[in-house]
Amino acid sequence: MRNFQYFQPTEIRFGAGRLDEVGESVARLGRRCLIVTVPAFPGFELVVQRVKTSLTASAVAFAHFDGVIPNPTTAVVSAGASQAQDFGADVVLGVGGGSSLDTAKAVAVEARHPGTSWDYLFFRDRQPTEQTLPIVAVTTTSGTGSHVTQVAVVTNPDERSKSALYHPRLFPKISLVDPELVLTAPARVTAATGFDVFAHAFESFINPGGSAYTDLLASEALKIVASSLPAAVRSGHDLGARTAMAWADTLAGLAIANAGVTLPHGISMAVGGLYPHVAHGEALASVYPAILRYSWDAAPGKFAATARLFDRSLVGIEDAAAAEALSGAVMAFLRTIGLRIGLEDLKIPEGELKALAREALVLPDYKSHPRVACAEDVFSVLRESLRCEGETKS
Ligand code: NAD
């Protein structure tokens, strides 16, 4: 077995009803809490109310920043950071999907450092210091794994770029994973975020930077996605399926925090930067089949093992054939969850694919893909991903 290291400082509190522990969790870290969420919508108001009641019961004062948008921007983070400063927050609580959690993390940095969150991206000289506010995460999607990662994804509309802060200080100190909170997620959000779980697990699994430890986490997450995501999409109120997906999301997040992602995430980050209206999981769904076709023979054992989880008829079939079949199995799975889409469905213009291909190689993720792509390769993948020809969408 190869040498490896594994780091995970987040205290995870998992299970239905754990939301009510938010007050005592936050109180361990501070007395003045900035709550970070999207604007209120039916169903979510009750969650925010429970959070506020719990904070009050634990004698934690709070202010509420409710300006998060999907694919949060630098301006959104700055607005949250300035509210944190005005309030004198000593702890930040993100409640929501990856967009809210990432905003909370970036706010925790910007509120306590000169400049903006964009000045602290993973490749900059300046990095988050011990001044960074402690972060508590309550996740409501399954999901990005952000509740157990050191990553905060931020979009800069002026530069048409989506990038990330990446630092161990961004691991939430405490993470509450309460599957009941995901019951209200609509089918499309469930499918897109659930496919993100697949992507995290698969990309950690095939990542040369992975280990025996992350393989264990990732392969379990893949198994759960194959068996439980369709049920979660079909019946949003199935708490069993929601709990399974919350666990898969957590496992896949733990895996990416230590192994990292690969080419599909590089492409989907570029899509998000250029076209912020596109949901992260939808961008992934549109390009995955072509990427799998492009690279199956670079890691046939792992592609085959994944294919057999999604298509039981491939059990007993030799690795090369099963690996090649993974793209078809994933397309069938995407149809099952109503997410078999092309870039055209996401309103991405064909004329901009060259620029998109170049952008996809700005982040280093592609270097960890088993087959390392050049801009021409990515362009071909994107062209193949434009439309789902001859297929009936579910
Ligand atoms: P999101 O947070 O953008 O939420 C999507 C939509 O679903 C929003 O409108 C939100 O209000 C709504 N929603 C969330 N939970 C809901 C619920 N329980 N009921 C009803 N509606 C609900 O989606 P996401 O996919 O969780 O996060 C995407 C963001 O996370 C992107 O910016 C992506 O790049 C980033 N990301 C971060 C990491 C990381 O490790 N930090 C990893 C992957 C992706």
Side-chain angles (χ1 to χ4, degrees), residues 301-364:
K302 290 202 163 162
F303 276 61
T306 307
R308 292 184 191 110
L309 296 175
F310 285 81
D311 179 352
R312 302 304 293 166
S313 73
L314 297 170
V315 175
I317 303 286
E318 58 154 319
D319 276 2
E324 191 171 10
L326 178 58
S327 178
V330 166
M331 281 194 276
F333 186 73
L334 285 168
R335 274 193 293 277
T336 304
I337 60 170
L339 206 62
R340 179 71 184 113
I341 46 177
L343 292 168
E344 255 183 14
D345 300 307
L346 300 175
K347 311 263 177 296
I348 294 176
E350 187 167 1
E352 289 191 25
L353 295 190
K354 278 236 148 73
L356 182 53
R358 278 195 302 276
E359 279 299 307
L361 303 184
V362 169
L363 291 178

Side-chain angles (χ1 to χ4, degrees), residues 38-39 41-44 68-72 96-102 105 139-155 162 165 180-186 189 192-193 196 200 253 256 265 268-269 279-281 284:
V38 294
F41 60 85
F44 188 57
V68 176
I69 55 170
N71 290 330
S99 297
S100 299
L101 304 191
D102 287 2
K105 291 173 173 182
T139 182
T140 66
T141 60
S142 306
T144 63
S146 178
H147 57 295
V148 290
T149 74
Q150 67 281 62
V151 181
V153 178
V154 183
T155 297
K162 189 171 181 182
L165 290 82
E180 285 179 350
L181 304 181
V182 195
L183 292 172
T184 49
V189 170
T193 51
D196 195 17
H200 292 157
I256 49 168
H265 263 77
S268 79
M269 288 282 283
H280 177 65
L284 287 165

Side-chain angles (χ1 to χ4, degrees), residues 169-191:
R169 295 191 205 284
L170 296 188
F171 278 109
K173 299 270 188 245
I174 303 173
S175 197
L176 304 181
V177 191
D178 182 341
E180 285 179 350
L181 304 181
V182 195
L183 292 172
T184 49
R188 181 70 169 206
V189 170
T190 304

Side-chain angles (χ1 to χ4, degrees), residues 15-294:
R18 301 305 290 255
L19 179 65
D20 294 327
E21 297 170 24
V22 68
E24 63 172 90
S25 300
V26 170
R28 278 165 46 196
L29 300 164
R31 285 289 151 197
R32 295 183 69 77
C33 173
L34 183 76
I35 307 169
V36 174
T37 70
V38 294
F41 60 85
F44 188 57
E45 275 163 10
L46 203 62
V47 171
V48 173
Q49 199 42 58
R50 277 174 67 196
V51 167
K52 290 179 176 173
T53 303
S54 181
L55 290 173
T56 303
S58 294
V60 176
F62 57 81
H64 183 185
F65 173 70
D66 65 354
V68 176
I69 55 170
N71 290 330
T73 61
T74 41
V76 165
V77 173
S78 292
S82 106
Q83 190 171 343
Q85 288 166 341
D86 293 346
F87 179 63
D90 56 9
V91 53
V92 182
L93 168 66
V95 183
S99 297
S100 299
L101 304 191
D102 287 2
T103 302
K105 291 173 173 182
V107 162
V109 174
E110 186 169 323
R112 286 297 187 93
H113 294 82
T116 73
S117 60
W118 203 247
D119 299 320
Y120 296 85
L121 297 178
F122 68 96
F123 56 86
R124 306 264 195 231
D125 291 338
R126 281 200 275 178
Q127 288 298 312
T129 68
E130 66 288 345
Q131 289 300 311
T132 306
L133 292 169
I135 300 150
V136 177
V138 175
T139 182
T140 66
T141 60
S142 306
T144 63
S146 178
H147 57 295
V148 290
T149 74
Q150 67 281 62
V151 181
V153 178
V154 183
T155 297
N156 184 329
D158 296 336
E159 298 186 13
R160 292 189 80 198
S161 174
K162 189 171 181 182
S163 193
L165 290 82
Y166 180 99
H167 194 280
R169 295 191 205 284
L170 296 188
F171 278 109
K173 299 270 188 245
I174 303 173
S175 197
L176 304 181
V177 191
D178 182 341
E180 285 179 350
L181 304 181
V182 195
L183 292 172
T184 49
R188 181 70 169 206
V189 170
T190 304
T193 51
F195 192 70
D196 195 17
V197 177
F198 165 81
H200 292 157
F202 181 68
E203 290 167 47
S204 317
F205 193 46
I206 60 169
N207 200 312
S211 67
Y213 201 152
T214 53
D215 280 359
L216 190 67
L217 300 166
S219 51
E220 182 64 12
L222 286 168
K223 250 187 253 170
I224 298 171
V225 171
S227 62
S228 297
L229 180 54
V233 172
R234 213 173 33 245
S235 335
H237 286 279
D238 179 341
L239 184 60
R242 293 296 196 182
T243 303
M245 281 307 300
W247 177 223
D249 174 26
T250 304
L251 290 168
L254 295 170
I256 49 168
N258 281 276
V261 288
T262 69
L263 180 63
H265 263 77
I267 297 180
S268 79
M269 288 282 283
V271 169
L274 291 172
Y275 315 103
H277 66 274
V278 177
H280 177 65
E282 293 179 352
L284 287 165
S286 67
V287 295
Y288 240 91
I291 294 175
L292 296 174
R293 270 195 300 279
Y294 160 77

Side-chain angles (χ1 to χ4, degrees), residues 1-15:
M1 191 165 79
R2 281 194 300 119
N3 292 3
F4 70 87
Q5 62 196 54
Y6 181 88
F7 179 64
Q8 179 50 241
T10 302
E11 175 180 325
I12 300 167
R13 294 178 167 214
F14 186 98

